[in-house]
């Protein structure tokens, strides 16, 4: 009898432990991105992991998958809606299937510098744009900077005429497509993970990206010229799925949001530093010549690319474009 009781007690204890273990099972957030770890987004994601795990005492665990290891940028949002990945921070150019308004950020020569970008993103209109993907089951949690885009190419680009007929890889954005068509070049939408090989094999002639991406993915080793055009913005929106977000407790949501806000501030600092340091490293490498534009040359790029705004005015909204442009005033 005693033996039976002891066995029953042991069984009960095991069951209780099992139930406790189940209850204590941490929530796992898979965060997928396409860039190297030593970039603003890579570092932000790693910081986010550290802070979430610290603030939740391990109740929420973040697994970060860099370098398109888990999903490329063409698949990650679909995968998120299927529950195969829980967070990502795609470039704002990659949301065209989910909303029209974020295309604003692709308009060439819209923002003069990152301070203007900040002013607009923190404004009521800028913040409201984060919810533009919610009808599709996604939640925009915040913006992250990378920085201004530069044009890299197999030949020197000083005036728009120089780009005529060249093939440029672009992100999946119609505005970017129109931007390259405006200079009579041929844009090709390709995932980020393919860019290096496309450049190396000369399947394409050029691409546009931030200094940190050109450096960390070694594009500068296979592109002899980089024009410091600062013609557009490469920024990100951190997104999650409604399904994941609503499945968390209020406390977990607050802890995660706090961790995210802190890691975004950190990532933005990294972005500002990398825009200077990575450009410097490229210049020192001697692999790629950095071309600075004279004000007259730059004015030519502005003149041919600016009409793209008109093409997308109705889709994005003229007031929104005006508000973003006004952010340059300070
Ligand atoms: C690109 O595809 O060029 C960028 O969006 C990559 C990134 O996420 O910075």
């Amino acid at each position: 009898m005693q033996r039976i009781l002891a066995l029953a007690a042991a069984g009960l204890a095991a069951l209780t432990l099992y139930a406790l273990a189940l209850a204590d099972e941490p929530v796992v957030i898979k965060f997928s991105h396409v860039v190297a770890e030593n970039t603003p987004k890579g570092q932000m994601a790693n910081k986010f992991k550290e802070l979430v795990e610290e603030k939740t005492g391990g109740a929420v665990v973040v697994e970060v998958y860099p370098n398109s290891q888990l999903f490329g940028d063409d698949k990650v949002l679909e995968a998120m809606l299927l529950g195969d990945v829980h967070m990502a921070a795609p470039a704002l150019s990659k949301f065209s299937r989910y909303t029209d308004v974020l295309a604003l950020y692709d308009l060439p020569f819209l923002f003069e510098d990152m301070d203007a970008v900040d002013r607009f993103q923190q404004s009521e209109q800028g913040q409201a744009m984060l919810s533009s993907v919610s009808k599709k089951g996604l939640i925009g949690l915040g913006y992250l900077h990378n920085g201004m885009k530069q044009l890299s190419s197999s030949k020197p680009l000083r005036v728009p005429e120089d780009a005529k007929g060249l093939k440029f890889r672009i992100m999946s954005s119609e505005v970017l497509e129109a931007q390259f068509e405006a200079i009579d070049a041929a844009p090709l939408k390709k995932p980020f993970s393919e860019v290096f090989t496309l450049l190396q094999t000369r399947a394409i002639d050029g691409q546009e990206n931030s200094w940190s991406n050109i450096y960390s993915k070694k594009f500068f080793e296979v592109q002899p010229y980089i024009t410091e055009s600062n013609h557009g913005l490469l920024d990100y929106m951190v997104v999650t799925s409604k399904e994941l977000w609503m499945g968390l407790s209020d406390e977990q949501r607050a802890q995660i949001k706090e961790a995210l806000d802190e890691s975004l501030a950190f990532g933005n600092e990294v972005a500002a530093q990398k825009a200077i340091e990575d450009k410097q490293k490229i210049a020192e490498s001697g692999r790629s010549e950095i071309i600075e534009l004279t004000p007259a040359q730059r004015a030519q790029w502005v003149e041919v690319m600016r009409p793209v705004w008109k093409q997308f005015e109705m889709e994005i909204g003229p007031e929104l474009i005006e508000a973003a442009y006004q952010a340059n005033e300070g």
Side-chain angles (χ1 to χ4, degrees), residues 33-35 41 73 89-91 93-94 146 169-171 190-193 195 207-210 213 219 234 236:
H33 68 81
V34 298
V35 290
K41 183 160 52 183
D73 43 24
S93 323
K94 293 176 182 169
N146 188 319
R169 175 270 174 172
I170 55 164
M171 296 183 272
K190 294 284 179 190
F192 187 59
S193 55
V195 183
Q207 61 89 45
E208 51 164 20
N209 234 306
S210 63
N213 280 346
F219 299 162
L234 174 60
Y236 308 111

Side-chain angles (χ1 to χ4, degrees), residues 278-324:
D278 288 353
K279 175 187 161 192
Q280 189 63 27
K281 287 184 198 151
I282 293 171
E284 281 163 9
S285 76
R287 300 291 291 264
S288 193
E289 183 188 330
I290 298 177
I291 298 172
E292 284 176 25
L293 298 175
T294 64
Q297 287 169 337
R298 193 162 195 274
Q300 287 194 43
W301 292 90
V302 176
E303 195 189 325
V304 288
M305 286 183 169
R306 265 290 286 270
V308 168
W309 294 20
K310 214 54 221 141
Q311 262 175 269
F312 293 89
E313 194 179 69
M314 292 330 287
E315 224 167 291
I316 298 168
E319 300 83 20
L320 204 56
I321 299 178
E322 184 54 28

